[in-house]
Amino acid sequence: MVRRYKIYLGIISLIFLIILFFMWLDSSKDSSEHHQAILDLRKQEAVAKNLATELETVKGERDILVQQRIPGLVPLRYDETINIDNKYVRNIIFTLAKSGKKNIYEYRLVLHNNTLMVARPKAEIILFNDTGIQIGMAQIEQSDATTEIDGRAGLDPGEVRSYTAAIDLIRDEEPSYFLLIISEA
């Protein structure tokens, strides 16, 4: 009887060892596949990083070409104050507003007069897409002023005035650059 139990115990132990062996084989196969998947992922991450770097380089080169083709173009950034080096313009801020699925491009332009005479600056904003094609335009009007101006078109000496309105697009594209044209009336 004891011998029979030893045989059963030996058979059960052998079956247990066989099961452990197959579990180890399966585990090592899964581990090998896991390591291969990690290696593939790291290769793809390296490729993606290189492609992102190349894309940034190409975008930078495109920006330079577009800006050289149209002097005075400035990259458009939303909700950031963009300082302009002009005797009548302090800064401009662009905002992307959304109404349903429609994008509305708004501006806030701050004009100032640091001269001793009344100035009558005229301002025009032109929007361009990423390849330098004009897609929108706005002329700054008296009615766009955010402060009461009593019908005066000019800026008195020392006066600062802001203008806000939406820019009309002639093409349904995302603007990437703007050109600000300032002249005196």
Side-chain angles (χ1 to χ4, degrees):
M1 179 99 169
V2 172
R3 191 164 193 251
R4 190 183 259 174
Y5 285 125
K6 285 184 178 179
I7 292 174
Y8 287 140
L9 185 60
I11 292 173
I12 291 173
S13 297
L14 182 63
I15 291 172
F16 181 71
L17 286 174
I18 291 172
I19 290 172
L20 278 177
F21 177 73
F22 282 113
M23 287 176 62
W24 175 80
L25 280 177
D26 188 49
S27 173
S28 69
K29 178 184 164 196
D30 289 346
S31 177
S32 174
E33 289 173 358
H34 177 71
H35 288 298
Q36 185 61 42
I38 288 174
L39 286 175
D40 292 343
L41 177 64
R42 288 189 179 145
K43 287 178 185 176
Q44 292 300 321
E45 286 174 343
V47 168
K49 186 176 180 182
N50 289 339
L51 287 175
T53 303
E54 285 182 38
L55 179 62
E56 288 304 314
T57 302
V58 169
K59 282 182 176 180
E61 291 170 354
R62 180 205 60 204
D63 290 348
I64 290 169
L65 289 173
V66 170
Q67 289 173 359
Q68 287 175 345
R69 186 172 66 169
I70 306 170
L73 278 188
V74 179
L76 190 142
R77 298 181 312 266
Y78 297 109
D79 302 319
E80 288 184 33
T81 302
I82 302 169
N83 294 315
I84 306 294
D85 187 23
N86 183 285
K87 69 179 186 176
Y88 295 120
V89 179
R90 256 199 196 163
N91 59 55
I92 188 167
I93 299 172
F94 291 96
T95 300
L96 172 59
K98 294 187 181 259
S99 176
K101 291 184 179 181
K102 184 178 180 188
N103 290 343
I104 301 165
Y105 301 95
E106 298 175 344
Y107 68 89
R108 179 179 177 268
L109 177 69
V110 179
L111 297 179
H112 65 114
N113 181 5
N114 288 337
T115 68
L116 298 175
M117 299 173 25
V118 173
R120 290 179 175 76
K122 293 178 80 174
E124 186 174 57
I125 301 168
I126 303 173
L127 297 182
F128 297 86
N129 68 7
D130 59 350
T131 58
I133 296 173
Q134 181 179 340
I135 61 169
M137 185 174 138
Q139 286 193 314
I140 310 320
E141 304 288 338
Q142 236 180 308
S143 60
D144 299 334
T146 58
T147 56
E148 189 66 38
I149 57 175
D150 301 328
R152 294 178 296 115
L155 289 171
D156 291 333
E159 185 177 2
V160 177
R161 190 181 303 159
S162 64
Y163 298 82
T164 301
I167 300 174
D168 295 323
L169 294 183
I170 54 177
R171 292 177 157 211
D172 189 26
E173 294 183 42
E174 177 80 19
S176 296
Y177 303 98
F178 74 95
L179 181 63
L180 186 60
I181 300 172
I182 305 294
S183 59
E184 274 194 71

